[in-house]
Amino acid sequence: MAEKKIILEVQNLTKYFDTPKGKLHAVDGVNFQIEEGKTLGIVGESGCGKSTTGRTLLKLLEPTAGTILFNGEDITHYSRARMRKMRTQMQMIFQDPFSSLDPRQSIMQLISEPIKEHKLLKSKAEIEKRTLELMDIVGLARRFVNSYPHELDGGRRQRIGIARALAVNPKLIVCDEPVSALDVSIQAQILNLLKQLQRDMGLTYIFITHDLSVVKYFADDIAVMYLGQMVEKAPSAEIFEKPTHPYTQALLSAIPIPVVGKDKPPRKLLRGEITSPVNLPDQCRFLKRCDACQQCCQDGPNPQLVEISPNHFVACHIAK
Amino acid sequence: MSEKILEIKDLVVHFETDDGCVKAINGLTLSVGKEKTLGLVGETGAGKTTTALSILNLVPSPPGVIKGGSIELDGKDVLQMSDKELEHMRGNDVAMIFQDPMTALNPVLTVGEQIAESIMLHEHISMKDAFERAKEMLKMVGIAESRAYDYPHQFSGGMRQRVVIAIALACQPNFLIADEPTTALDVTIQAQVLDLMKELIEKNHMSMLLITHDLGVVAEVCNDVAVMYAGRIVEIGSTEEVFNSTRHPYTEGLFDSLPNLKEQGEELVPIKGMMPDPMRLPEGCTFAPRCPYATEACTQTVPELRKMGGTHFVACHAYDDPSFRLRRNANG
């Protein structure tokens, strides 16, 4: 067995936005690392900072603090020009294939754009050949090569997004809700495709989603985020078998299970809604919605991730 | 035997556009029992929302044309009603909840005013009394009365959907159509809203048609379920029947596409191909080109719904052979 290689390591990643009301804690001291060829699922609800995490670690947003190590190289303070070169190794797939593609470009133009942009191939013939090859890889019939995005359905448009990301032979792809806008049967096609690409090319994925069932199928490790922080992180199977943070438990229990009549576990309803991420006190952020909350939670401080069993991290005063 | 609140028979709705005729609904038959909730499941473009709009006779016309069939709501045919009768029926007898609560609400009126507005439209009471009723409605959906003076943008997505539910229920309709009411919400909020809807439906002895693409939501909320494909019902029955002894290959395909039933690492089994273009529907069974069980006969005639026992109906030619079983049911 080859030695495990850490492709990406993030230390204390923090992104604040200044708003008229104060500091918005979008991402607040996130730590994780990913081995090459693995998938990390980042799960959470709207506003938990999962997309900002994805964008910040590709430096599409400048981090407020923290360190990003890609293949051991500290890229945190790289200039735009230097990042540009890095982008051939790290790519992103976006949620909405309807708005992330230029409607005036044909499929040929869309998929060849990153190849030209990074000057990977020179001659026109080579570029065309590579584009058609990419279309084969993502399962887009070659007859669509001169079509425009509006002529295609959501599933095919997402395949274009994937082909564009693959065009530069990246090592790491951040997938930001890649199947959320698609119907279930099409969703399954795209998930299978992503998985097959990972097997064939040894890709590393960061898979951002609100849908726990999708990451269960997909991820090796899962990190659950709440209000800018990771509240639990563990291997995928462990999260589903032994969810430990009260929020993870509630999130799992809220998924409607498509099973009738067989014994289902009782639902655990979460009260209230996510609190505002502006000017947060030094206290557990889940406090107001938590049933297990005790005096020690009220007194603070904000709990940090603690390893409760090998590779299983939880940020909770009670679950320790 | 329970009575039916809604009975749709052989409904055909087409949209006649310059580019051709879009066959949205092609002979749809379904019914909802009194005090029951029917889940209507299908993918984008199956005709779910057009079905809902037809029930309220709100299909935009032109280009929409209701070509045939009947829709009986509590014994009265909606398609034969005068405009005045329709206006009375909408809101009083039937109410509808839409997917996106932000676009369903008026941004320049307070939520209290909006609830009061719908009450005043149907009952001749003063603004003051209507506003009091609006506050009661807010309390019923779990929002503090004091927030009646707030505007929609001051509410979160889940709260807005509660306001929309309050508006829908303000005139005590006995039938509710909910079109993807929780699709835009986070799972934990979805769970709250579904629980609220379930509770209110039971308490007020209402019936509901719940349109969704999420089989999980159906399992949580519905008594019965109808699976729709290319404008027809392909399978209908109690949730117990459809989930535990699935009959139609398309329904099986939907279940197989779901990641959460699978163990990690296993391949998902997507339905091959895509939904047919409603302008160019295939001959015979519209699902045949994507169906792993399809035979020659399937491309000839459109299968009719046949009874499979109890309240379970399926439209599939494969059952001409009485020994036919789906793979899903093959090993018990």
Side-chain angles (χ1 to χ4, degrees):
Chain A
M1 277 297 279
E3 203 171 307
K4 288 173 187 169
K5 190 179 156 204
I6 303 297
I7 186 162
L8 182 79
E9 183 166 357
V10 168
Q11 294 161 352
N12 190 32
L13 187 71
T14 303
K15 177 70 191 172
Y16 294 156
F17 293 101
D18 284 322
T19 67
K21 286 181 191 156
K23 273 208 172 0
L24 189 150
H25 297 233
V27 181
D28 216 351
V30 163
N31 296 292
F32 62 85
Q33 50 185 26
I34 314 172
E35 269 173 49
E36 187 157 23
K38 298 275 181 184
T39 302
L40 171 73
I42 301 183
V43 191
E45 295 179 274
S46 327
C48 73
K50 55 190 192 301
S51 290
T52 310
T53 304
R55 276 157 207 251
T56 312
L57 61 88
L58 291 185
K59 296 234 309 153
L60 295 172
L61 293 168
E62 278 302 312
T64 309
T67 315
I68 306 162
L69 298 168
F70 184 77
N71 267 337
E73 210 177 322
D74 185 349
I75 62 165
T76 325
H77 301 293
Y78 272 19
S79 64
R80 281 180 66 113
R82 281 188 84 179
M83 265 324 283
R84 228 180 129 81
K85 293 205 184 88
M86 296 300 295
R87 299 228 194 278
T88 56
Q89 299 186 47
M90 43 214 302
Q91 281 288 317
M92 185 150 183
I93 297 171
F94 297 92
Q95 168 170 3
D96 186 357
F98 296 80
S99 58
S100 57
L101 298 176
D102 182 346
R104 293 175 304 175
Q105 290 194 6
S106 70
I107 309 307
M108 171 62 91
Q109 286 170 312
L110 283 166
I111 299 179
S112 61
E113 190 184 27
I115 306 174
K116 292 177 189 159
E117 191 65 36
H118 290 282
K119 303 194 176 59
L120 297 177
L121 294 170
K122 297 246 156 51
S123 80
K124 201 168 169 238
E126 274 180 319
I127 293 175
E128 268 189 38
K129 191 172 151 247
R130 173 72 178 146
T131 304
L132 291 173
E133 209 177 275
L134 283 163
M135 287 181 74
D136 293 342
I137 293 173
V138 300
L140 266 175
R142 288 187 173 198
R143 67 190 147 95
F144 292 118
V145 71
N146 293 317
S147 306
Y148 288 83
H150 76 267
E151 298 172 81
L152 305 181
D153 60 282
R156 290 211 177 97
R157 269 182 251 199
Q158 197 54 289
R159 287 177 196 266
I160 301 174
I162 297 170
R164 272 165 66 87
L166 292 176
V168 297
N169 296 314
K171 300 220 165 52
L172 171 79
I173 301 183
V174 175
C175 310
D176 190 358
E177 303 261 16
V179 295
S180 308
L182 308 175
D183 276 318
V184 277
S185 68
I186 308 299
Q187 181 176 320
Q189 293 174 1
I190 298 293
L191 288 175
N192 279 345
L193 171 68
L194 286 171
K195 200 146 195 177
Q196 183 209 329
L197 293 172
Q198 182 168 44
R199 270 198 306 266
D200 296 350
M201 306 181 178
L203 294 170
T204 309
Y205 289 136
I206 292 179
F207 205 96
I208 299 171
T209 177
H210 69 281
D211 189 342
L212 270 165
S213 54
V214 169
V215 279
K216 178 179 187 184
Y217 165 72
F218 215 94
D220 300 290
D221 293 300
I222 291 177
V224 180
M225 285 187 75
Y226 190 78
L227 272 181
Q229 289 189 317
M230 286 192 175
V231 295
E232 186 159 5
K233 192 172 67 176
S236 174
E238 176 105 357
I239 284 264
F240 285 90
E241 273 158 39
K242 274 185 269 166
T244 306
H245 196 283
Y247 178 64
T248 314
Q249 291 170 356
L251 202 58
L252 275 174
S253 141
I255 305 174
I257 309 164
V259 167
V260 170
K262 299 176 187 142
D263 47 337
K264 274 200 204 180
R267 301 265 294 278
K268 183 175 164 188
L269 264 194
L270 211 52
R271 60 199 147 91
E273 308 199 352
I274 201 160
T275 34
S276 158
V278 177
N279 294 336
L280 289 162
D282 186 19
Q283 224 179 15
C284 174
R285 292 181 179 178
F286 189 58
L287 188 77
K288 292 201 176 91
R289 300 177 76 188
C290 186
D291 286 329
C293 159
Q294 289 171 11
Q295 191 55 42
C296 63
C297 309
Q298 305 275 3
D299 298 342
N302 189 7
Q304 299 299 315
L305 283 177
V306 174
E307 190 163 14
I308 54 159
S309 58
N311 286 323
H312 191 160
F313 298 84
V314 182
C316 177
H317 287 302
I318 296 156
K320 272 178 210 170
Chain B
M1 222 11 230
S2 72
E3 280 179 77
K4 302 290 181 210
I5 180 126
L6 174 75
E7 269 203 286
I8 303 181
K9 280 191 190 130
D10 297 318
L11 182 70
V12 179
V13 182
H14 290 174
F15 291 91
E16 285 166 355
T17 68
D18 293 342
D19 297 327
C21 179
V22 178
K23 293 173 179 157
I25 313 269
N26 306 296
L28 174 126
T29 300
L30 66 78
S31 58
V32 183
K34 279 207 169 124
E35 294 188 32
K36 296 275 185 203
T37 294
L38 174 78
L40 185 60
V41 185
E43 292 176 85
T44 315
K48 307 186 296 279
T49 301
T50 307
T51 306
L53 292 177
S54 306
I55 297 168
L56 293 168
N57 207 342
L58 277 177
V59 176
S61 168
V65 188
I66 297 181
K67 289 266 184 179
S70 65
I71 301 174
E72 281 192 7
L73 197 75
D74 227 354
K76 283 170 293 202
D77 192 341
V78 175
L79 303 179
Q80 308 300 329
M81 283 185 191
S82 67
D83 283 353
K84 208 166 173 194
E85 286 172 308
L86 280 171
E87 207 158 288
H88 183 263
M89 179 266 292
R90 297 177 193 140
N92 273 331
D93 303 331
V94 187
M96 184 149 173
I97 299 174
F98 295 92
Q99 172 172 352
D100 183 357
M102 194 59 212
T103 49
L105 294 172
N106 185 338
V108 297
L109 291 180
T110 66
V111 300
E113 282 168 343
Q114 294 188 54
I115 303 170
E117 185 186 30
S118 70
I119 299 172
M120 283 166 68
L121 209 64
H122 291 283
E123 291 168 40
H124 298 284
I125 57 174
S126 71
M127 181 67 194
K128 197 164 160 266
D129 292 343
F131 205 87
E132 282 310 307
R133 277 265 299 280
K135 285 183 176 170
E136 279 169 40
M137 295 306 297
L138 279 179
K139 215 162 90 189
M140 184 182 81
V141 295
I143 299 178
E145 287 182 26
S146 58
R147 299 210 63 186
Y149 304 95
D150 286 346
Y151 291 89
H153 75 268
Q154 292 167 295
F155 291 82
S156 64
M159 286 294 187
R160 279 183 212 141
Q161 199 58 290
R162 285 170 192 259
V163 172
V164 173
I165 293 171
I167 294 176
L169 299 188
C171 295
Q172 290 137 7
N174 44 31
F175 187 56
L176 184 66
I177 303 171
D179 189 357
E180 305 262 14
T182 57
T183 308
L185 308 176
D186 278 319
V187 274
T188 60
I189 307 299
Q190 163 169 292
Q192 292 172 355
V193 171
L194 286 178
D195 268 28
L196 172 73
M197 286 176 65
K198 223 159 103 177
E199 181 201 313
L200 293 175
I201 294 269
E202 268 166 37
K203 204 171 80 189
N204 299 319
H205 305 287
M206 294 168 62
S207 325
M208 175 159 73
L209 178 70
L210 178 73
I211 297 175
T212 177
H213 65 278
D214 188 337
L215 287 162
V217 170
V218 173
E220 267 336 303
V221 182
C222 301
N223 312 96
D224 302 304
V225 56
V227 181
M228 195 165 180
Y229 187 79
R232 293 173 65 91
I233 300 298
V234 294
E235 181 162 7
I236 184 167
S238 69
T239 39
E240 159 77 38
E241 288 163 333
V242 174
F243 278 63
N244 295 342
S245 48
T246 308
R247 296 292 190 178
H248 199 280
Y250 177 63
T251 319
E252 181 187 50
L254 285 181
F255 279 114
D256 285 344
S257 305
L258 292 176
N260 51 342
L261 292 176
K262 299 276 167 182
E263 283 310 306
Q264 202 199 0
E266 215 174 309
E267 280 285 284
L268 297 172
V269 190
I271 304 170
K272 63 174 180 184
M274 259 164 277
M275 192 92 140
D277 180 349
M279 278 198 214
R280 284 180 289 271
L281 288 178
E283 290 284 310
C285 173
T286 47
F287 187 60
R290 303 176 71 186
C291 179
Y293 307 95
T295 59
E296 186 63 33
C298 300
T299 57
Q300 307 295 323
T301 52
V302 180
E304 294 299 320
L305 282 172
R306 69 176 83 200
K307 193 168 180 161
M308 302 303 290
T311 53
H312 198 178
F313 292 82
V314 66
C316 180
H317 284 307
Y319 293 95
D320 289 344
D321 171 7
S323 65
F324 177 77
R325 292 281 176 279
L326 291 179
R327 262 170 236 133
R328 186 175 155 86
N329 304 327
N331 15 355

